[in-house]
């Protein structure tokens, strides 16, 4: 069988704020046939995860390229790998067969040739949940929120927690997990609609629209008159500075990403004197380091979902041609919750 | 008995680089007599510790003033409290008697009235070491180096360690403790003389004069081709940025002070993207949080001193009138090792 495969690629390295013309949707012939002797798996992609960190892989040079396997460069005009859910169309690998629903590293493309061992491919046990949940709340977004709060920041009942990008894929779960753990939680987001959602749907104790605030340090002081125990940082920049200024002694900052710094030259200048006197810990982390927690995490969050204690927040666009705008939208704050592209209705 | 007591005070808040005219040496009559019913202790100061952190207490406003007991403001024209060693001249407290040698919070002054409970005063067991050692290697400088390496950064044998201000009171001990623990150690300092000292006397694997380097990130890459496991930060600023750029994955930065930022507006802008991808931990700490380790620390370091495994490095000026220049010299890098002022020969 031969199909037309639409593939999103970059035209060039992207060092500025990304725009649509940085991307190209190429169309190629694609033969759905495993070569004899190969253990390749051919996957029809159903959903793909759209994640901010990919922008760092698109840059022409970043010191992170050289230091981390998690930031291997994306080569212009080449397929872009990304976490996705798909259906096996053909398989040379005995562990996978036609019709299997799988999750792993596929591509921003309608069809992918995947190697089981290099693409972290596994059969997806849906556990009765929608496929998209496994890219968000039951996937890396959820694990990032969970591990960041409990393993990195080691939150304790009764502590005060601040989370930025609180209506994003990770932030909305950070707030909910922290509330379930008995914490006081305030989030910030970039629109009044998002703020309402955080307060009314997700049970945040409070939330504010950072775009309406002139002095973020004063704003945080208002919401945390006694200071912040844990700041879950998704954004970096000025918000990180304001949080450091408002941390309590022995406060912890868990940093899973700094989205404002990916596309903006305004970098955080945290007050290091505060950091010393207040004995603050700032720690970067990646969910990939906590895969040993994954089974327990899935079990726990599945229970939360079944009992309605936690709500997923997903933002799904349809069509491979909409991947570039979905991706660019992350940096504009267009998405509300986990951004996913569905390949077809 | 009445004596003349020379006391160093500030004339005003100090927000710029400190200069001699910011200070005044006042001379007051001082009666060596404990008031009836008082449990005051009158101390003739012998040595006083000269520490960079005091500059933060002299500023007109700092957010640290409000958040930390360790940064209570120094009031212009009032005595400046500081760690010192002295001799008891008179005591209303039964735990102390005339002639006792004591250590605790005294003042930048020849004589002090001290309260046992608020000034952390204790009788000093010299353990056969010079009194000055108890303000440096066997005091807070030593505990800072020790706790920072073993409790905060949790160094492991074979790791690579970088320390800034390496010929300072803390840095010279960090390097020596790390070498004794089987680490590869490189230090930086501000003169060729200091660099020679680090390499030839203190056994650092290497050392460099940062004032001779144009690109600190490239310099650190040269000394740490495989990256830094632990950076013991005494300085902040550009050196912190360069260290973050050169940290290994899971590297730890223990920050006990950021002397370059105390008097210089050039603040560190650490690369937060590196911090995330390399899962770096940056942690501020104060030796005062590790007082429970103090007995074990003193016991261990005393053995090292007796067996010649470690060398103290002290820089002693004489005379109360030289306290301002000794203090200002800290920020110019004049001192080599722990800065102490001795009140009289």
């Amino acid at each position: 069988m031969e199909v037309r495969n639409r593939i999103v690629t970059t035209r060039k390295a992207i060092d500025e704020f990304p725009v649509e013309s940085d991307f190209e949707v190429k169309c190629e012939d694609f033969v759905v046939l495993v070569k004899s002797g190969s253990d390749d798996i051919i996957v029809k992609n159903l959903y793909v995860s759209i994640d901010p960190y990919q922008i760092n892989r698109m840059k022409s040079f970043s010191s992170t390229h050289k230091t981390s396997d998690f930031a291997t460069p994306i080569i212009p005009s080449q397929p872009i790998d990304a976490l996705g859910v798909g259906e096996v169309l053909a398989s040379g690998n005995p562990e996978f067969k036609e019709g299997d629903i799988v999750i792993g590293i596929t591509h921003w493309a309608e069809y992918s040739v995947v190697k089981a061992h290099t693409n972290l491919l596994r059969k997806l046990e849906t556990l009765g949940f929608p496929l998209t949940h496994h890219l968000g709340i039951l996937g890396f977004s959820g694990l990032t929120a969970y591990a960041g709060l409990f393993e990195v920041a080691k939150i304790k009942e009764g502590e005060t927690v601040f989370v930025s990008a609180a209506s994003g894929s990770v932030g909305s779960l950070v707030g909910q997990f922290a509330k379930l753990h008995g914490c006081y939680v305030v989030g910030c987001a970039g629109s009044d609609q998002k703020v309402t959602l955080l307060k009314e749907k997700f049970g945040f104790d409070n939330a504010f629209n950072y775009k309406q605030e002139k002095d973020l340090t004063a704003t945080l002081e208002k919401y945390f008159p006694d200071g912040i125990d844990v700041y879950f940082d998704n954004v970096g920049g000025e918000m990180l500075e304001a949080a450091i200024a408002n941390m309590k002694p022995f406060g912890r900052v868990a940093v899973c990403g700094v989205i404002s710094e990916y596309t903006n030259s305004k970098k955080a200048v945290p007050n290091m004197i505060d950091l010393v006197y207040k004995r603050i810990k700032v720690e970067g982390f990646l969910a990939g380091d906590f895969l040993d927690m994954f089974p327990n995490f899935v079990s726990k969050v599945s229970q939360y979902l079944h009992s309605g204690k936690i709500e997923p927040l997903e933002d799904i666009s349809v069509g491979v041609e909409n991947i570039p705008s979905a991706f660019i939208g992350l940096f504009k704050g267009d998405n509300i919750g986990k951004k996913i592209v569905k390949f077809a209705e």
Side-chain angles (χ1 to χ4, degrees), chain A:
Chain A
M1 184 175 73
E2 189 169 304
V3 295
R4 296 289 283 169
N5 185 19
R6 286 182 295 169
I7 303 166
V8 176
T9 67
T10 53
R11 290 178 197 271
K12 59 177 185 62
I14 304 175
D15 293 307
E16 307 290 324
F17 200 99
V19 292
E20 293 255 0
S21 61
D22 292 332
F23 298 91
E24 182 178 6
V25 182
K26 297 204 283 196
C27 196
E28 293 178 356
D29 292 334
F30 185 90
V31 182
V32 181
L33 181 73
V34 176
K35 282 174 203 147
S36 172
S38 151
D39 65 352
D40 286 352
I41 300 143
I42 296 181
V43 174
K44 180 179 199 294
N45 295 317
L46 302 174
Y47 296 96
V48 73
S49 178
I50 308 295
D51 297 294
Y53 77 90
Q54 301 271 25
I55 194 79
N56 297 317
R57 303 179 56 210
M58 295 172 183
K59 291 177 184 170
S60 54
F61 174 80
S62 143
S63 61
T64 50
H65 285 170
K66 97 186 148 169
T67 50
S68 176
D69 296 340
F70 293 87
T72 50
I74 287 169
I75 312 294
S77 89
Q78 295 293 308
I80 295 167
D81 51 4
L83 195 70
V85 170
E87 182 185 345
V88 175
L89 296 186
S91 172
N93 183 310
E95 293 170 38
F96 297 89
K97 65 175 197 302
E98 193 182 328
D100 282 348
I101 298 297
V102 291
I103 188 166
I105 305 295
T106 62
H107 300 97
W108 285 4
E110 292 174 299
Y111 297 89
S112 293
V113 178
V114 172
K115 292 186 188 306
H117 301 298
T118 56
N119 291 64
L120 303 171
L121 201 72
R122 60 183 168 87
K123 268 191 261 192
L124 181 58
E125 291 187 51
T126 65
L127 308 168
F129 296 112
L131 297 181
T132 52
H133 284 21
H134 299 279
L135 293 178
I137 192 166
L138 292 168
F140 276 94
S141 304
L143 185 60
T144 300
Y146 195 85
L149 278 177
F150 296 107
E151 296 294 311
V152 181
K154 297 185 171 62
I155 57 164
K156 292 188 278 285
E157 191 183 332
E159 287 194 317
T160 61
V161 176
F162 174 55
V163 55
S164 51
S167 72
S169 58
V170 174
S172 61
L173 299 174
V174 167
Q176 293 184 82
F177 288 144
K179 282 307 300 174
L180 284 173
H181 201 65
C183 294
Y184 168 82
V185 180
V186 176
C188 70
S191 76
D192 293 344
Q193 181 199 357
K194 290 176 178 176
V195 166
T196 302
L197 191 71
L198 295 175
K199 290 196 283 192
E200 297 188 357
K201 182 165 180 188
F202 294 115
F204 281 54
D205 293 289
N206 226 321
F208 65 91
N209 177 353
Y210 72 90
K211 292 181 182 170
Q212 301 291 331
E213 303 292 334
K214 292 222 164 46
D215 178 342
L216 294 173
T217 299
T219 300
L220 286 180
E221 194 172 353
K222 191 173 71 182
Y223 289 106
F224 295 95
D226 299 320
I228 300 168
D229 288 304
V230 168
Y231 172 41
F232 196 108
D233 188 12
N234 288 299
V235 304
E238 288 179 317
M239 195 64 83
L240 174 56
E241 296 171 18
I244 295 275
N246 280 282
M247 296 305 287
K248 280 189 196 175
F250 302 103
R252 291 88 70 200
V253 180
V255 191
C256 78
V258 287
I259 191 169
S260 83
E261 301 196 16
Y262 296 165
T263 57
N264 186 327
S265 60
K266 194 135 194 176
K267 309 299 184 200
V269 187
N271 184 329
M272 294 299 297
I273 300 178
D274 270 1
L275 186 126
V276 173
Y277 279 105
K278 296 196 287 190
R279 295 84 110 198
I280 297 167
K281 182 158 63 180
V282 179
E283 187 167 355
F285 73 100
L286 298 171
D289 296 324
F290 298 94
L291 291 179
D292 56 337
M293 300 176 63
F294 197 69
N296 282 339
F297 155 78
V298 169
S299 156
K300 192 158 198 171
V301 177
S302 295
Q303 290 169 34
Y304 286 154
L305 281 166
H306 280 306
S307 60
K309 285 188 177 167
I310 199 162
E311 288 276 347
L313 184 62
E314 296 174 350
D315 185 331
I316 302 175
S317 302
V318 180
V320 65
E321 68 281 6
N322 290 316
I323 287 177
S325 64
F327 178 64
I328 293 164
L330 296 174
F331 304 101
K332 297 179 179 170
D334 288 348
N335 61 305
I336 299 184
K338 175 66 193 171
K339 190 72 207 177
I340 290 168
V341 168
K342 182 178 184 178
F343 285 90
E345 284 295 358

